[in-house]
Amino acid sequence: MAQVNKFSITIATANGSGSQSANLILARTLFRMGVPVGAKNLFPSNIAGLPTWFSIRANEEGFTARQRLSDIAVLMNPATAAEDLNLVRPGGYVFLNSEIKIPESKLRTDIQVIPVPFREIVQPVSDSIKLRKLLANIAYVGVLAELLKMPEEILADAVKHQFGDKVNVIDSNMKALLAGRAWAREKHGQILFPFRTRANACSNEGKIMIDGNTAAGMGLVFGGCTFMAWYPITPSSSLVESFIGFAEEFRVKENGERDFAVVQAEDELASIAMVVGAGWAGARAATATSGPGLSLMAEAAGLSYYAEIPAVIWNVQRVGPSTGLPTRTMQGDLTSAYYLSHGDTKHVVLLPGTPGECFYYAQVAFDLAEILQTLVIVLTDLDIGMNLHVGPRFNYPHDEMSRGKVLNAEELEKAGLFQRYKDVDNDGIPYRTLTGTPHPVAAYFTRGTGHDENGLYSENPEVYKNNMMRLSKKFETAKTMVPKPEFDARSNSRIGIVMFGGSHEAVGEARFMLQKIGIETNCMRIRALPFTSEVEEFFDRNDCVYVVEQNRDAQLLTLIRSEMPQYWQKCHSVLQFDGLPLDAETVVEQILKVDKDLRKHC
Amino acid sequence: MELKGQEKNRIGFTKADYAGAKSTLCMGCGHDTITSHITTAFYQAGINPYDVTKLSGIGCSSKTPAYFLSKSHGFNSIHGRMAPIATGVHLANSKQILIGVSGDGDTASIGLGSFAHMLRRNVRMIYVVENNGVYGLTKGQFSATADRGSISKAGVANPYDSIDLCALALEMGCTFVARSFSGDAKQLLPLLNLAIRHNGTAFIDIISPCIAYANHEGSTRSFDAVRAANVALQELGFIQPMTEIKIDYPEGEAKTVELHDGSRVILRKLQSEHHDVTKRDSAMLALTEARARREFLTGLFYWDQNSVPLSESLKLPATPLRDLDNQTRPGVEALDEILARFE
C-alpha cells in the first residue's frame, strides 16, 4: 500500500547552485494540489559552496513540523552525499546524482538508492553548460513528480508562478522537468514506489503558502509603518526587504512621493536611536534585527521604556550566544528581550507563531507602542520568518490605527496645563505632546535622566520611586491589552503543554502521538508578555505542565518562575536547542521520560 | 516705548520668549555663552519656538538645550546617539528646525560613527559641538579632540593625535561646515543665523573652554591659549529679511549672498585669498594649512547653498510622516493582489 500524501523529502545541494527555484516549485505544486505542506530550508552562513538542505513535508493530517528523518532524499552535493544517506529512514528512497560515488562502507542496505544521470537527462535541453547545471535541479523535480504522480498541469502552473513572465526560462525549465519525468517513467516506471500524491484529497482553499518575514513586511505596509531604520542581519533582512518592496509598490504616489522613510543605518545602535527619535516625534516607527543587533539596542530600549517613547523592534531570533549559528533557528532571546537594558526594565513582547500572526501583529505592535508609549518587541525566529508555512489567507485589516494619548493645541488649551508624566487616568499611561504643537504649554524636555511629573530633572528619591511604580502600573495595564494565549483543551485532562512561537507545529503533532498512547493533554500557546490572566487560569486548571521551548536555559519557564512563582513546581521543561526547528519526537520523548519518573514516584 | 529686553522681533516675540531654564553648569562656562548666542540667534531670525526641536546627547554640553527655547520640544537623549535620534526626528516631522548641541566626547568618540553617517545623509539640522577637549562630568579625562601634548589638569600629556571635526565633516560630505569660539559673538551670531536657514546639516564646531578641567597653563584649550591661536578666516555679517539695519556689517570688500527668505549674509575675507567658501577642497586646504601653523582657524569653511536634505532625498510628502496613519493603508485590492502571489 502506498503512502498517499504523507511523506517527507530532503534535497541536499550546495549553496548557490540554483536549487531554490526547483525546491519551491515542488513545494508549491504540493500546496496547489491541496496537500498540507511545510518547507524548511537549512542553509549555511555562506554565499556559495557550502552544503544546504531543503526539506518538504507533505502530510494529510496537517502535521508539517520538521522530521528527524526523511522518506525520500535527493542527493546532489558530492561533499555531503555519504553522510546524507543517514537522513533517510529505513525503507526510504535516495535519488543520487549518478556522478557521485559513495564509498562502499557508507552504503546502507535498508534503503533504496537510485542513481540518476542528471547531466545526461538535461543534455538535450540546452547547449549552455552553465544553464544545464541549473536545469539539473528542475530535472529532479521531474523525477520526483513522475514517481509521486504529481499532475502535469499543476506543476506547469507552479513553474510559471516561479519564473513570472520570463518565457525562455519557463520553457527551458519545463523541458528539463519533462526530461526528468520521462527518464523516471522509462527507467523506474515499473518500480513499486511506496509514496504518492493525490490531488484534492484535501484542500488548501482559502490558504496561502508564505514565510513569516514576507508576511511581517506586508503587515508593516498595512499597519501604518511610516518609518523603518535597519541594519542588515540574517535572518531579519528579508523582513525589511519585504516591507520596502511592498511599500514601493503600493505606497508611492505617481509623482514619486512616499509616505514612508527607510534608512539603512550604520549599525543597530543607530537603527533603534532613529526609531526612538521618529517615535518621539510621532511616527509609527520600527526596526528589525536579530540577536546581536538586539544586544546593541539595549541602551536605547531603556530610553524608550523610561522616557516613554513608542518604538517597535522586530527580532527574528537566530542561534546565539555571540554570532552563534547565524542561519539556524532558536527561541533564545526571550529573557533578553523581556528585560532588555539596564536598571529595572520590562518590555511588552509579542510572540507570533505563524506568518498570519506576523501580518496582524505588525499593526498590533504599533498600536500598543503608541497606546502604552513604550517599546514593543516582536519576537519571531528564523523558522517562522524564513521557512514556508501554509495558513489561512490574511484578512484585510479594518481596525483603525490607535495613536494613544496625544494632546493637540486645542486639547491643551482646554486643559490649561500639561504634565508629561502625570498619571491622569489611573492606568499608568501619561499624556504626551508632539514637536511643533502650537501651544505655550505643549513643549517639554524629554530625558533619560530622572524626571518628575513635569519632565523636569529630579534626583529626589520619592519622585524616582513614584515614577518607577507608575511604570509598573502601566505594565499591569499592558497585561489587559496584549494578545491573549491560544488554547486547545481536552475536558478531562489535567496535563498541560505550554509553548510559544512556531513550536505549535511540532507540539500539535506530539499531542496527537501522545493521544494515541492514551495521554490526553491541554495546550496553551502564549502569544505575548507580560503574561495575561488567562495564563494563570491555565496553570490553575492543570496539575502537571510541560513547558516546551527551543533554548537551553528554559527561558519561558524562567519567566514563569519569576512572574508566577506559585506554579513553577508543577512545570517540567521540554527543550530543543540544536539550531533545528522543533520536531514532535523530541517533545514526545522528553514528556514520556518525565511522565515515567512521575509515575515511579506516585 | 518698550522696555529694554521687551523689543519684539519680526514675528512679535520678545527675547524672553526664547529663554530657557537656569543653567546648572559652572560659573563662567563657555557653554553658557553659546546658549545665550543660540537664544539671540533664534530671536534675531524671528523663528517661532514652536517650529524648533532641540536635541542633545549626554555630557555638559548636552544639558544646555534645557537652557534655551523652553517653548520648544527638547530631547536630551543618550550618549553618542544624538545624530541618529535627530535623523528619526527630522524624518518624522521634516517641517521642524532642529538644533542639536553635542560635545566632543559625545560626537568625536562614542558617537563618531553615527555623526559621520548623519553627515552623509544630510539631515536638516544645526549641529553644534561645544568643543573643549575634555570630559567634564567625569572630571577631566582627555577627549578625542584634545591636542597631542596638551597637559591635563592632573599633569599628564595627551599621547594621541586629535580629531579635527571640521575636516571630518568636510570629508563626510557635510553641506555647511564652520568653526567658532564661544567668546566670539560677532562671528558666532551670523554663523548661527545662517545655519538656521541652511537646508541640510549645518555643522558648527565651537571651541568652548572648560573652566574646571582645561583652563590651566599647558592646556591648549584654555581661554588664553584659544584666544592666542584664534585666527578668523573671514569677517561675517548677517542682515535679517525685511530690514536695512546692519548687524556687525564688516568693513571693506565683501561678498553678499541673499538667502531664500530675503536675509543676506556678508562674508569678507581676512585670510587666504584662495579660500572659496563654495569649494570643499579649498576649505580642506585652509584647515590643513592652519593646522600646520597650530592655529585655530575659525569662520565659515564650506557652504553648499543647493543642499538637499534627507527628507527630500527620500521623497517624503509635505504632510509630516507623524500625521499619517490610516490613510497609508493600501486598499483591499492591493492585499488581494499580493496574496494571489502566495496561492
Side-chain angles (χ1 to χ4, degrees):
Chain A
M1 263 271 288
Q3 259 178 255
V4 179
N5 291 349
K6 200 173 174 184
F7 53 82
S8 51
I9 307 170
T10 292
I11 298 146
T13 54
N15 199 28
S17 64
S19 59
Q20 188 73 350
S21 312
N23 299 337
L24 291 175
I25 288 165
L26 203 53
R28 189 168 307 280
T29 304
L30 288 164
F31 169 65
R32 289 190 171 179
M33 288 171 67
V35 183
V37 62
K40 297 191 190 298
N41 189 12
L42 200 66
F43 60 103
S45 177
N46 155 266
I47 290 171
L50 288 185
T52 179
W53 297 268
F54 193 89
S55 293
I56 297 172
R57 182 172 178 197
N59 183 285
E60 212 160 81
E61 280 150 339
F63 301 129
T64 57
R66 185 183 71 87
Q67 288 190 299
R68 291 177 186 168
L69 297 175
S70 287
D71 299 304
I72 302 163
V74 178
L75 307 186
M76 303 292 282
N77 187 357
T80 59
E83 286 302 314
D84 287 343
L85 288 177
N86 297 322
L87 297 174
V88 182
R89 77 175 83 249
Y93 278 70
V94 170
F95 297 90
L96 177 71
N97 186 340
S98 57
E99 287 169 11
I100 301 173
K101 297 288 163 255
I102 295 198
E104 199 88 8
S105 62
K106 300 277 184 182
L107 286 172
R108 284 170 57 183
T109 52
D110 57 345
I111 55 173
Q112 295 285 329
V113 178
I114 300 176
V116 187
F118 288 108
R119 202 209 295 232
E120 270 170 46
I121 292 173
V122 297
Q123 184 76 27
V125 180
S126 170
D127 294 333
S128 153
I129 296 173
K130 203 176 150 200
L131 185 60
R132 282 207 300 267
K133 237 180 176 169
L134 290 173
L135 290 174
N137 294 310
I138 197 79
Y140 67 65
V141 176
V143 172
L144 291 173
E146 179 61 27
L147 296 177
L148 289 166
K149 312 230 178 313
M150 296 168 91
E152 192 94 8
E153 204 176 300
I154 301 177
L155 261 173
D157 276 351
V159 171
K160 276 185 202 145
H161 180 103
Q162 187 64 35
F163 298 113
D165 49 8
K166 296 176 207 147
V167 184
N168 289 340
V169 181
I170 293 173
D171 186 54
S172 54
N173 273 276
M174 274 315 292
K175 277 184 187 151
L177 192 152
L178 292 175
R181 223 177 161 136
W183 180 88
R185 191 164 47 239
E186 192 185 314
K187 300 280 182 193
H188 297 281
Q190 302 311 313
I191 66 162
L192 199 65
F193 195 60
F195 311 101
R196 60 161 299 181
T197 57
R198 187 188 299 142
N200 307 318
C202 35
S203 169
N204 280 323
E205 189 74 36
K207 291 186 178 163
I208 54 170
M209 184 170 72
I210 196 168
D211 62 271
N213 281 356
T214 303
M218 288 169 65
L220 290 165
V221 168
F222 286 82
C225 180
T226 55
F227 185 88
M228 168 66 72
W230 67 301
Y231 186 76
I233 180 170
T234 304
S236 71
S237 304
S238 63
L239 189 159
V240 180
E241 280 161 350
S242 159
F243 170 70
I244 295 170
F246 291 124
E248 284 182 345
E249 194 176 350
F250 295 101
R251 286 178 46 181
V252 179
K253 280 194 188 165
E254 273 177 25
N255 64 5
E257 220 170 78
R258 302 151 166 252
D259 61 14
F260 62 95
V262 178
V263 182
Q264 187 185 316
E266 51 275 19
D267 52 36
E268 289 91 345
L269 301 169
S271 313
I272 186 63
M274 288 177 193
V275 166
V276 168
W280 178 72
R284 286 164 80 91
T287 182
T289 190
S290 191
L294 190 73
S295 294
L296 284 178
M297 292 179 184
E299 190 187 13
L303 175 66
S304 167
Y305 176 83
Y306 192 46
E308 300 181 61
I309 298 166
V312 173
I313 299 172
W314 280 79
N315 185 61
V316 186
Q317 297 166 98
R318 67 188 214 184
V319 175
S322 189
T323 310
L325 310 178
T327 58
R328 299 293 158 87
T329 196
M330 184 179 186
Q331 296 178 327
D333 301 345
L334 190 70
T335 46
S336 61
Y338 190 53
Y339 295 120
L340 193 65
S341 207
H342 53 275
D344 289 325
T345 47
K346 279 185 192 177
H347 305 290
V348 171
V349 179
L350 304 187
L351 302 165
T354 62
E357 286 176 352
C358 288
F359 176 76
Y360 298 117
Y361 284 8
Q363 180 177 344
V364 172
F366 285 129
D367 288 356
L368 286 173
E370 295 203 296
I371 290 170
L372 294 163
Q373 297 174 29
T374 194
L375 173 66
V376 173
I377 299 173
V378 190
L379 218 53
T380 76
D381 58 43
L382 186 141
D383 182 33
I384 301 171
M386 294 190 73
N387 288 327
L388 291 173
H389 308 266
V390 172
R393 275 172 64 97
F394 309 155
N395 295 319
Y396 187 78
H398 289 287
D399 289 349
E400 293 270 305
M401 296 173 194
S402 303
R403 306 305 308 267
K405 298 180 184 178
V406 179
L407 296 172
N408 61 28
E410 293 81 60
E411 289 159 337
L412 289 166
E413 184 62 29
K414 225 163 104 184
L417 90 169
F418 167 57
Q419 291 178 283
R420 171 65 182 100
Y421 295 110
K422 191 172 169 61
D423 185 8
V424 178
D425 302 326
N426 201 29
D427 56 4
I429 309 170
Y431 285 79
R432 66 179 186 137
T433 58
L434 302 180
T435 63
T437 306
H439 195 277
V441 302
Y444 66 98
F445 199 69
T446 302
R447 53 178 103 236
T449 45
H451 44 266
D452 64 14
E453 290 181 336
N454 295 307
L456 298 175
Y457 183 74
S458 172
E459 294 174 0
N460 180 299
E462 282 306 306
V463 167
Y464 173 78
K465 206 171 122 187
N466 290 340
N467 191 35
M468 290 304 286
M469 290 314 291
R470 180 183 55 76
L471 286 167
S472 276
K473 193 206 269 182
K474 185 165 86 167
F475 208 60
E476 288 299 311
T477 304
K479 288 182 182 174
T480 65
M481 296 178 166
V482 299
K484 296 185 189 315
E486 186 183 66
F487 296 99
D488 183 17
R490 303 284 155 85
S491 56
N492 294 324
S493 175
R494 302 285 290 176
I495 301 171
I497 299 180
V498 174
M499 42 92 191
F500 69 100
S503 297
H504 61 92
E505 284 182 358
V507 167
E509 186 178 2
R511 291 178 67 212
F512 183 74
M513 290 158 74
L514 289 168
Q515 193 183 17
K516 276 190 180 166
I517 53 169
I519 302 175
E520 292 277 1
T521 55
N522 303 311
C523 188
M524 170 170 70
R525 178 162 65 90
I526 292 174
R527 296 195 286 187
L529 299 174
F531 297 122
T532 63
S533 56
E534 292 82 358
V535 175
E536 297 197 17
E537 287 162 21
F538 183 85
F539 279 101
D540 284 334
R541 284 198 307 270
N542 289 283
D543 301 330
C544 169
V545 179
Y546 295 95
V547 182
V548 180
E549 42 189 325
Q550 301 177 44
N551 59 62
R552 183 193 67 179
D553 290 345
Q555 298 188 13
L556 179 60
L557 184 55
T558 302
L559 295 182
I560 290 166
R561 283 178 74 158
S562 147
E563 305 277 312
M564 303 176 292
Q566 67 273 33
Y567 298 123
W568 76 269
Q569 279 179 321
K570 60 165 97 169
C571 293
H572 305 275
S573 263
V574 173
L575 306 171
Q576 182 179 321
F577 52 94
D578 53 6
L580 303 173
L582 186 67
D583 68 87
E585 283 169 82
T586 296
V587 177
V588 171
E589 281 169 10
Q590 292 189 32
I591 286 180
L592 289 181
K593 188 169 180 293
V594 175
D595 190 66
K596 205 173 142 194
D597 287 349
L598 289 177
R599 280 168 212 274
K600 239 188 264 168
H601 294 108
C602 276
Chain B
M1 209 189 110
E2 286 164 329
L3 296 166
K4 190 166 163 48
Q6 298 287 306
E7 295 94 346
K8 289 181 174 162
N9 63 10
R10 67 194 167 91
I11 60 162
F13 286 94
T14 66
K15 201 160 173 190
D17 291 320
Y18 296 86
K22 194 177 171 299
S23 169
T24 60
L25 300 178
C26 306
M27 284 286 276
C29 177
H31 297 358
D32 283 335
T33 323
I34 299 170
T35 294
S36 141
H37 296 328
I38 290 171
T39 310
T40 306
F42 275 97
Y43 164 72
Q44 288 175 340
I47 303 292
N48 189 327
Y50 302 150
D51 296 335
V52 181
T53 303
K54 306 173 294 181
L55 295 143
S56 62
I58 290 293
C60 288
S61 56
S62 290
K63 292 181 174 196
T64 66
Y67 313 144
F68 59 85
L69 271 70
S70 60
K71 288 194 176 69
S72 306
H73 276 77
F75 192 167
N76 176 197
S77 65
I78 42 178
H79 204 17
R81 306 296 149 232
M82 179 178 93
I85 294 227
T87 306
V89 172
H90 163 65
L91 293 174
N93 186 357
S94 52
K95 283 182 171 168
Q96 288 280 296
I97 295 171
L98 272 48
I99 175 156
V101 182
S102 176
D104 36 314
D106 205 51
T107 291
S109 284
I110 190 169
L112 187 70
S114 279
F115 170 65
H117 285 274
M118 187 202 70
L119 298 175
R120 290 174 58 221
R121 299 186 183 106
N122 205 21
V123 170
R124 191 202 191 292
M125 77 177 297
I126 305 150
Y127 193 118
V128 170
V129 169
E130 299 183 343
N131 187 347
N132 53 20
V134 75
Y135 285 80
L137 281 176
T138 52
K139 305 197 184 307
Q141 301 82 4
F142 286 118
S143 85
T145 62
D147 292 313
R148 181 188 280 271
S150 184
I151 309 296
S152 73
K153 200 172 180 183
V156 180
N158 180 24
Y160 308 121
D161 270 344
S162 64
I163 293 174
D164 184 333
L165 288 172
C166 285
L168 178 73
L170 283 168
E171 180 61 35
M172 288 297 138
C174 185
T175 51
F176 180 116
V177 182
R179 176 174 292 142
S180 192
F181 171 48
S182 59
D184 190 350
K186 251 181 98 177
Q187 186 187 49
L188 197 44
L189 283 172
L191 278 177
L192 284 166
N193 262 288
L194 187 57
I196 287 168
R197 271 81 170 186
H198 182 63
N199 203 11
T201 307
F203 175 65
I204 313 178
D205 179 24
I206 306 176
I207 309 300
S208 174
C210 174
I211 57 153
Y213 293 104
N215 202 26
H216 50 271
E217 180 94 28
S219 162
T220 62
R221 291 294 157 91
S222 67
F223 274 101
D224 289 344
V226 174
R227 277 202 196 92
N230 187 359
V231 175
L233 184 62
Q234 71 273 94
E235 268 193 279
L236 289 155
F238 199 89
I239 303 173
Q240 301 298 336
M242 321 282 286
T243 172
E244 284 306 313
I245 300 164
K246 295 174 185 173
I247 301 168
D248 297 326
Y249 192 101
E251 299 296 319
E253 198 186 328
K255 183 180 172 190
T256 303
V257 183
E258 185 164 334
L259 307 178
H260 56 89
D261 68 345
S263 58
R264 278 162 287 172
V265 63
I266 300 133
L267 301 134
R268 187 168 72 85
K269 284 180 190 172
L270 292 177
Q271 299 301 315
S272 166
E273 281 306 309
H274 309 296
H275 177 249
D276 180 345
V277 79
T278 67
K279 298 257 181 336
R280 197 177 288 276
D281 52 353
S282 168
M284 196 64 104
L285 187 66
L287 273 176
T288 314
E289 287 174 354
R291 195 178 165 108
R293 292 195 299 268
R294 295 185 158 265
E295 289 172 356
F296 280 122
L297 190 65
T298 58
L300 179 62
F301 302 141
Y302 177 69
W303 177 32
D304 176 3
Q305 275 190 267
N306 302 316
S307 161
V308 178
L310 182 61
S311 56
E312 286 177 34
S313 323
L314 295 184
K315 302 191 174 72
L316 299 190
T319 310
L321 292 182
R322 68 104 187 266
D323 293 328
L324 303 176
D325 40 56
N326 295 302
Q327 67 270 49
T328 66
R329 182 181 283 155
V332 180
E333 59 296 334
L335 184 63
D336 287 342
E337 191 185 329
I338 297 172
L339 290 177
R341 297 169 198 173
F342 301 97
E343 284 174 344

